[in-house]
């Protein structure tokens, strides 16, 4: 085996495996925290397991078995216990202290964490093998796989048996989390969406809730040593929050969290250990920190670029809507001008007349592309096609005005702006159902309501309009 | 300090149906039910037997405890006193025969599930623990969504539905439970005319199929048209029985009478005493 590969298998591979397993377990569980809008509970538990963990170290040291302090079963037991204690504590503070849930969680986890820090000092004083840096930031770099017999393959059973303890603990937890979320797929879903119905159907949402909290605590402890207690929170929340921006499907949501967790952990690890060298720095950065930054980066990208919920997609949709409204407003305006006998509108006034400048520019270009308006001698005017559309708009506008005045009893001078918004709802489905059926031919401002038929004779207010040369 | 309201006596195991005032025919028998939140009673001493195959409206002012009665029957609100039986049996024994439509606002409609996913939740009770939703159950859910006129919307995410459509999704989910007794909490609240017609249609079909439906209802105008039975409630049962005899001007005045009732004042007093004020 080449020295490079040996180095990779001994140093990078176990660390990568650890961070992938940690982020997949936390990411999967995080779904249920994010979807139930209780992300802070994950935060609370991730912090609150600290005293339990340190206590386990102190107790085993006191009884003279310090080597058992990192026994996975003992750690998981401690974690489950602190998880339940936290949940119960939060509920007690909420009920007895009469404060809102967020406040109760804030109090519970900061106090538990502080207790853990105090205990940690004691542990340091007694020279127990546990230090604050490791607890806070994790020690991904210290996860090493060094089989006793270096000549033997890394892929032999004896080699695998010598996998670092953190990795085997995480593998066990990841396996348990995957079994839990698969087996109770439907139960977790109903407990998250509608616990009331879940209870009447006999699915015990409260039990599912506690089981979930125990798993969160166990995953937090297992991930603790790899990425530290603070970064665990990002592993719990970021993948699920990112996935939520990318899909509206439950199964896809859960699948995406796994993919995002893997991408962020592999990408972040590589960036952390190799990235600085690529750009010529001579020292790598904390890999766990880089994984978290990557998670944050992916979330930020989803916030901006998600095709359905992203800021960019949403502003594009809003812009398209305002263009279409501006286009219709332009047609309506030209129609009204024709009614008054004006030949058209000077090009330069269009933007000021129909809404935001950019939308108006695009709208007027689109209207002429579609052959709805013509531009002649600097004047914008309706074509026959444009007039038909304008007519149906004006009809809609004036019918709404009549409805608002005659049926709802609003004052005639109050209804124009409302009608200006409502007139744009004209698609066949909603429009025909919602369009008020007012038997009026004259609107509250004494303007004729155009008929619904195909291109009725244009403007009636002033006969000059026709002689002014409209085709 | 001795609590003013004592816990229900769990030892009295004689079925309610053995008592002359209740019957094993009744889909639901409520006996001396009192519900309290934080020891402040919200519903006092309710006795009621719903007749089989009927549509029952629970009507009363805000804060009268209408939803609370339903929740207490289903074990979602703690009973301070009293018992509830269904066809002479405890809730646990007949869970599968009872359907529930909670208030629409009680769930998060931004949840990433489709309308069909929500309706399929009605089948979970029949599917049981840890088993996936099979093709037959999905087909049954699809049939229910079709019955409320939303077949075209089955794969929409639920936040993309209108309020009325969301309410119909809930109704379809209850249909998917294929129950003999339904509790519905304000299904008509804030729905459009099309949804209201769809719900009434479904209620009538359910009744024709032999079911009893108990509905928390707020629209006094439609009680007589939609329902057979009415329970007028204002912390206690003011009147109950067939709409024709019970839904009278006199009883409505008693139910909605403007001033705080003596019971409401008493409940306040209990709460104050518990606070030590």
């Amino acid at each position: 085996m080449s020295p490079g590969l040996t180095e990779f298998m001994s140093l990078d591979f176990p660390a990568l495996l650890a961070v992938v397993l940690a982020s997949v377990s936390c990411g999967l569980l995080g779904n249920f925290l994010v979807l139930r809008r209780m992300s802070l509970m994950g935060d609370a538990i991730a912090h609150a397991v600290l005293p339990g963990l340190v206590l386990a170290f102190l107790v085993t040291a006191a009884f003279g078995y310090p080597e058992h302090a990192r026994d996975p079963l003992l750690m998981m037991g401690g974690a489950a216990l602190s998880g339940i204690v936290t949940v119960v504590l939060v509920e007690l503070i909420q009920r007895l202290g009469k404060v809102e849930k967020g406040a109760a969680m804030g109090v519970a986890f900061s106090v538990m964490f502080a207790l853990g820090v105090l205990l940690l000092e004691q542990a340091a004083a007694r020279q127990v093998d546990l230090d604050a840096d490791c607890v806070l930031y994790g020690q991904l770099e210290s996860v090493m796989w060094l089989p006793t017999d270096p000549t033997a393959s890394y892929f032999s059973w004896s080699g695998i048996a010598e996998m670092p303890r953190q990795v085997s603990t995480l593998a066990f937890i990841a396996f348990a989390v995957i079994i839990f979320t698969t087996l109770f797929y439907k139960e977790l879903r109903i407990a998250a969406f509608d616990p009331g119905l879940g209870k009447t159907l006999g699915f015990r949402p409260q039990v599912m809730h506690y089981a979930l909290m125990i798993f969160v605590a166990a995953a937090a402890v297992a991930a603790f040593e790899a990425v530290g207690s603070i970064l665990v929170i990002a592993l719990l929340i970021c993948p699920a929050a990112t996935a939520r921006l990318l899909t509206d499907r439950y199964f896809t949501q859960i699948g995406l969290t796994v993919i995002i967790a893997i991408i962020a952990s592999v990408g972040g690890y590589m960036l952390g250990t190799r990235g600085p060298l690529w750009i010529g720095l001579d020292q790598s950065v904390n890999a766990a920190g880089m994984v978290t930054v990557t998670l944050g980066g992916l979330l930020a990208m989803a916030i901006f670029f998600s095709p359905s919920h992203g800021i960019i997609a949403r502003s594009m949709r809003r812009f398209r809507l305002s263009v279409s409204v501006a286009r219709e407003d332009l047609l309506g305006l030209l129609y009204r001008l024709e009614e008054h006998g004006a030949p058209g509108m000077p090009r330069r006034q269009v933007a000021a007349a129909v809404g935001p400048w950019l939308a108006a520019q695009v709208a007027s270009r689109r209207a002429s592309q579609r052959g709805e308006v013509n531009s002649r001698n600097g004047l914008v005017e309706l074509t026959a096609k444009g007039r038909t559309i304008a007519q149906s708009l004006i009809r809609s506008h004036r019918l709404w005005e009549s409805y608002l005045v005659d049926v709802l009893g609003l004052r005639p001078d109050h209804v124009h702006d409302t009608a200006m918004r409502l007139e744009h709802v004209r698609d066949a489905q909603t429009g025909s159902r919602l369009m008020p059926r007012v038997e009026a031919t004259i609107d509250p401002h004494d303007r004729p309501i155009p008929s619904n038929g195909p291109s009725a004779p244009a403007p009636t207010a002033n006969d000059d309009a026709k002689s002014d040369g409209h085709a | 300090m001795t609590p003013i309201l004592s816990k229900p006596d769990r030892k009295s195991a004689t079925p309610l149906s053995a008592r002359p005032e209740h019957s094993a025919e009744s889909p639901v028998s409520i006996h001396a039910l009192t519900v309290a939140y934080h020891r402040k009673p919200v519903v006092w001493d309710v006795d009621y037997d719903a007749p089989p195959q009927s549509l029952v409206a629970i009507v009363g002012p805000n804060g009268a405890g209408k939803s609370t009665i339903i929740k207490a029957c289903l074990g979602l609100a703690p009973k301070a006193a009293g018992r509830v039986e269904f066809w002479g049996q405890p809730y646990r024994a007949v869970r599968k025969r009872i359907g529930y439509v909670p208030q629409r606002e009680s769930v998060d409609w931004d949840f990433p599930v489709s309308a069909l996913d929500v309706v399929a939740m009605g089948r979970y009770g029949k599917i049981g623990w840890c088993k996936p939703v099979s093709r037959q159950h999905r087909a049954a859910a699809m049939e229910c969504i079709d019955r409320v006129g939303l077949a075209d919307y089955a794969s929409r995410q639920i936040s993309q539905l209108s309020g009325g459509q969301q309410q119909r999704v809930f109704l379809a989910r209850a249909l998917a439970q294929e129950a003999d007794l339904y509790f519905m909490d304000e299904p008509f609240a804030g729905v459009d005319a099309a949804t209201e017609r769809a719900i009434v249609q479904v209620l009538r079909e359910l009744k024709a199929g032999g079911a009893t439906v108990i509905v928390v209802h707020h629209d006094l105008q439609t009680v007589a048209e939609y329902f057979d039975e009415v329970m007028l409630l204002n912390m206690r049962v003011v009147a109950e029985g067939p709409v024709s005899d019970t839904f009278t001007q006199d009883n409505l005045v008693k139910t909605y009478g403007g001033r705080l009732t003596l019971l409401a004042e008493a409940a306040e007093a209990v709460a104050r005493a518990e606070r030590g004020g």
Side-chain angles (χ1 to χ4, degrees):
Chain A
M1 202 179 275
S2 75
L5 187 59
T6 310
E7 190 189 315
F8 178 82
M9 289 306 290
S10 307
L11 297 177
D12 294 313
F13 180 68
L16 262 175
L17 203 55
V19 73
V20 166
L21 291 169
S23 60
V24 167
S25 335
C26 290
L28 271 175
L29 294 170
N31 275 308
F32 306 100
L33 299 174
V34 169
L35 292 182
R36 293 184 68 175
R37 299 179 191 264
M38 42 183 278
S39 309
L40 198 56
M41 198 54 135
D43 197 352
I45 287 177
H47 279 89
V49 291
L50 183 62
L53 194 65
V54 184
L55 218 52
F57 273 79
L58 283 173
V59 169
T60 48
F63 283 101
Y65 301 103
E67 70 276 12
H68 285 293
R70 289 169 190 269
D71 188 316
L73 278 180
L74 194 67
M75 271 169 47
M76 292 310 134
L81 202 65
S82 357
I84 293 176
V85 166
T86 314
V87 176
V88 171
L89 204 61
V90 167
E91 272 168 26
L92 280 180
I93 296 174
Q94 191 187 359
R95 195 164 341 136
L96 300 179
K98 298 192 172 162
V99 292
E100 45 119 3
K101 195 150 197 147
M105 284 193 257
V107 171
F109 86 70
S110 49
V111 170
M112 293 280 278
F113 191 70
L115 187 68
V117 172
L118 296 181
L119 288 170
L120 201 60
E121 281 182 357
Q122 287 299 309
R126 289 176 202 191
Q127 315 204 315
V128 175
D129 169 33
L130 187 71
D131 71 305
D133 272 4
C134 160
V135 166
L136 293 179
Y137 312 122
Q139 281 183 334
L140 205 46
E141 285 81 358
S142 74
V143 180
M144 282 182 265
W145 187 17
L146 301 167
T148 40
D149 179 10
T151 51
S153 164
Y154 279 94
F155 303 102
S156 70
W157 277 116
S158 64
I160 289 170
E162 285 179 273
M163 263 287 186
R165 178 189 39 77
Q166 294 99 316
V167 176
S168 48
T169 308
L170 278 166
F172 171 73
I173 284 294
F175 181 69
V177 166
I178 289 169
I179 296 286
F180 174 66
T181 45
T182 312
L183 202 56
F184 295 105
Y185 182 77
K186 154 172 128 285
E187 289 76 9
L188 283 165
R189 168 152 77 179
I190 198 167
F193 177 67
D194 192 347
L197 181 77
K199 191 171 178 194
T200 64
L201 292 177
F203 286 111
R204 302 176 177 275
Q206 200 61 21
V207 175
M208 294 311 296
H209 177 65
Y210 277 100
L212 179 65
M213 293 304 138
I214 289 172
F215 268 97
V216 169
V221 168
F224 225 62
E225 288 178 280
V227 299
S229 68
I230 297 179
L231 307 188
V232 162
I233 297 155
L235 293 189
L236 280 169
I237 306 307
C238 284
T242 310
R244 187 62 194 86
L245 288 166
L246 298 175
T247 182
D248 280 334
R249 301 268 159 229
Y250 187 78
F251 180 77
T252 318
Q253 159 85 25
I254 295 193
L256 270 179
T257 51
V258 175
I259 294 169
I260 291 164
I262 293 173
I263 290 176
S265 41
V266 174
Y269 181 84
M270 286 305 179
L271 276 178
T273 53
R274 308 285 196 280
L277 309 177
W278 293 334
I279 58 167
L281 301 177
D282 57 357
Q283 220 177 4
S284 60
V285 299
N286 180 304
M290 203 62 208
V291 169
T292 314
V293 170
T294 310
L295 281 168
L298 289 178
L299 178 60
M301 272 166 63
I303 289 173
F304 283 104
F305 302 114
S306 159
S308 47
H309 300 281
I311 291 176
I312 292 176
R314 272 186 298 160
S315 33
M316 295 274 280
R317 274 200 299 273
R318 263 202 301 277
F319 183 71
R320 272 199 295 276
L321 183 67
S322 66
V323 165
S324 119
V325 167
R327 202 189 95 243
E328 295 194 347
D329 283 348
L330 174 64
L331 299 180
L333 188 65
L334 292 171
Y335 188 92
R336 287 190 184 90
L337 285 172
E338 283 188 2
E339 282 186 332
H340 286 279
M345 188 180 203
R347 252 200 100 68
R348 277 172 291 123
Q349 287 176 18
V350 167
V354 290
W357 183 82
L358 188 60
Q361 292 299 318
V362 178
S364 83
R365 182 165 320 153
R366 194 153 299 166
S368 56
Q369 277 167 1
R370 291 177 174 207
E372 291 161 358
V373 297
N374 260 336
S375 196
R376 251 192 320 191
N377 308 329
L379 276 185
V380 181
E381 56 185 26
L382 286 175
T383 63
K385 183 182 174 198
R387 194 170 298 116
T388 314
I389 298 171
Q391 184 186 328
S392 99
L393 261 169
I394 297 290
R395 175 180 160 76
S396 163
H397 179 94
R398 292 182 180 162
L399 277 176
W400 274 114
E401 284 192 337
S402 301
Y403 174 80
L404 292 171
V405 171
D406 298 345
V407 182
L408 296 189
L410 298 183
R411 297 231 312 261
D413 57 333
H414 286 196
V415 296
H416 179 76
D417 290 344
T418 310
M420 220 48 201
R421 284 168 203 283
L422 293 172
E423 70 184 27
H424 299 289
V425 184
R426 287 177 310 123
D427 62 287
Q429 213 187 355
T430 34
S432 64
R433 197 162 64 81
L434 286 181
M435 185 87 85
R437 284 170 191 79
V438 180
E439 303 301 320
T441 50
I442 303 289
D443 81 354
H445 309 114
D446 296 328
R447 300 239 148 249
I449 296 175
S451 71
N452 211 3
S455 202
T460 50
N462 191 331
D463 278 337
D464 292 349
K466 276 179 196 157
S467 55
D468 268 352
H470 290 280
Chain B
M1 187 168 61
T2 332
I4 291 175
L5 295 167
S6 58
K7 281 270 161 202
D9 181 9
R10 297 194 193 284
K11 283 182 194 127
S12 61
T14 343
L16 289 178
S17 49
R19 294 166 179 266
E21 71 269 31
H22 297 292
S23 149
E25 297 277 289
S26 305
V28 57
S29 303
I30 304 174
H31 181 77
L33 175 70
T34 296
V35 187
Y37 287 130
H38 303 294
R39 299 216 169 278
K40 178 183 167 182
V42 259
V43 176
W44 294 82
D45 194 30
V46 170
D47 279 298
Y48 182 67
D49 267 46
Q53 200 173 6
S54 58
L55 302 178
V56 183
I58 301 181
V59 173
N62 284 336
K66 305 185 292 283
S67 301
T68 305
I69 286 198
I70 285 189
K71 287 188 181 144
C73 287
L74 295 167
L76 297 174
K79 300 180 192 65
R83 283 163 61 193
V84 181
E85 280 180 4
F86 306 85
W87 301 283
Q89 289 176 287
Y91 182 69
R92 262 174 302 120
V94 289
R95 204 193 278 294
K96 291 204 175 87
R97 296 178 64 189
I98 301 170
Y100 174 44
V101 178
Q103 281 184 22
R104 183 153 54 86
E105 298 80 41
S106 68
V107 304
D108 174 11
W109 290 94
D110 276 334
F111 205 82
V113 285
S114 68
L116 185 63
D117 287 337
V118 173
V119 176
M121 286 179 192
R123 308 294 296 178
Y124 284 11
K126 296 197 188 311
I127 298 167
W129 282 86
C130 301
K131 277 181 260 165
V133 183
S134 67
R135 190 166 301 174
Q136 291 97 306
H137 285 296
R138 279 188 85 76
M142 195 62 217
E143 215 167 280
C144 294
I145 212 167
D146 192 28
R147 268 175 76 186
V148 299
L150 289 179
D152 294 343
Y153 298 83
S155 60
R156 289 267 186 102
Q157 197 239 330
I158 51 176
S159 68
Q160 294 165 10
L161 303 174
S162 72
Q165 290 168 338
Q166 291 175 346
Q167 191 66 61
R168 277 190 268 168
V169 167
F170 261 14
L171 191 70
R173 186 176 72 173
L175 292 177
Q177 288 184 260
E178 290 177 357
D180 299 315
L181 169 66
Y182 290 93
F183 289 95
M184 303 189 181
D185 203 344
E186 298 264 15
F188 293 102
V191 302
D192 52 284
T195 299
E196 180 144 350
R197 279 194 301 275
I199 299 175
V200 171
Q201 177 64 28
V202 167
L203 290 183
R204 289 185 178 145
E205 284 171 23
L206 286 173
K207 183 190 165 189
T212 290
V213 189
I214 298 179
V215 179
V216 171
H217 196 56
H218 64 282
D219 183 8
L220 296 178
Q221 308 286 335
T222 51
V223 169
E225 186 188 342
Y226 296 165
F227 297 96
D228 312 316
E229 281 256 319
V230 66
M231 175 200 283
L232 291 165
L233 189 76
N234 191 351
M235 300 187 73
R236 69 196 162 92
V237 177
V238 176
E240 46 101 345
V243 170
S244 49
D245 319 338
T246 317
F247 199 64
T248 60
Q249 187 67 28
D250 198 30
N251 281 336
L252 282 173
V253 170
K254 277 190 211 155
T255 312
Y256 286 85
R259 274 173 301 142
L260 215 53
T261 62
L262 192 58
L263 275 177
E265 285 181 45
E268 284 297 334
V270 171
R272 266 202 308 280
E274 290 285 344
R275 278 200 302 268

